[in-house]
Amino acid sequence: MIHVNLKEKHPVFVMKLVADRADALFAQRMGKLRVTASQCRVLMYLEGRGGQAVSQRELEQYLGVSHTTVKGLLARLEEKGYVRTAFDSTDGRVKHAYLTEAFQRLREETQSQVQGFENQLVQGFSADELELLRGMLERIYHNTLTTESETL
């Protein structure tokens, strides 16, 4: 791997490099589970809802992606047997997603891989440094939510 002197680079450039490397590391860790980062976000969100029905619309809003993207993610997760979808019994326009038993069997391994990935990225950071980093990243994230016209 080519070494880049990051001290000379703009922090946004460094952030993009980190994001790209993190994506590659995540894919490497999750590859054997056949789950992409986006698919994992869907699974973790569904799991966090404790087995409750989650509509595709709710997933779109949570992930900040289009209907088509969520539909594709769910279709691939259904093919793998980790999710099932069904139309709402009272409103046939609403489609819900649910975790399957196959995912429940995979859950521990998924959580272990995600935890290992997270630990690898913040190895050597103190609790104070992590809190500072979290705060800075949160501010950057909120800056991405404003439109250009709002900042002019």
Side-chain angles (χ1 to χ4, degrees):
M1 176 172 283
I2 298 173
H3 179 72
V4 179
N5 185 355
L6 299 180
K7 292 181 192 291
E8 298 173 3
K9 303 297 182 189
H10 191 280
V12 173
F13 178 81
V14 175
M15 193 168 53
K16 177 64 174 141
L17 287 177
V18 169
D20 290 347
R21 278 299 300 142
D23 283 345
L25 286 171
F26 190 86
Q28 201 174 45
R29 280 187 170 272
M30 300 303 280
K32 62 184 165 198
L33 302 174
R34 305 174 325 160
V35 178
T36 67
S38 296
Q39 291 168 2
C40 189
R41 285 183 66 203
V42 170
L43 293 170
M44 295 298 105
Y45 184 74
L46 292 174
E47 183 178 37
R49 295 296 307 272
Q52 295 178 0
V54 175
S55 72
Q56 283 189 358
R57 179 82 174 129
E58 186 177 338
L59 283 168
E60 292 166 27
Q61 292 170 342
Y62 172 72
L63 296 171
V65 297
S66 71
H67 174 76
T68 305
T69 300
V70 168
K71 189 175 174 182
L73 286 167
L74 291 174
R76 285 185 289 286
L77 288 168
E78 269 191 297
E79 287 171 11
K80 294 172 184 177
Y82 300 148
V83 167
R84 72 174 177 81
T85 59
F87 286 101
D88 188 277
S89 59
T90 57
D91 185 349
R93 298 169 298 170
V94 177
K95 197 171 193 180
H96 294 288
Y98 306 86
L99 293 174
T100 65
E101 286 297 319
F103 174 75
Q104 298 303 336
R105 289 189 296 273
L106 183 72
R107 197 183 87 192
E108 252 183 67
E109 179 65 19
T110 302
Q111 288 176 334
S112 173
Q113 290 299 333
V114 169
Q115 186 68 50
F117 167 74
E118 291 171 348
N119 289 343
Q120 181 179 355
L121 292 185
V122 297
Q123 182 178 336
F125 281 70
S126 70
D128 288 343
E129 288 171 325
L130 286 175
E131 195 56 38
L132 182 63
L133 177 62
R134 184 179 295 105
M136 289 188 284
L137 291 172
E138 187 175 319
R139 285 176 29 208
I140 290 170
Y141 175 75
H142 287 292
N143 289 342
T144 67
L145 300 177
T146 59
T147 62
E148 188 175 334
S149 64
E150 291 174 334
T151 59
L152 295 178

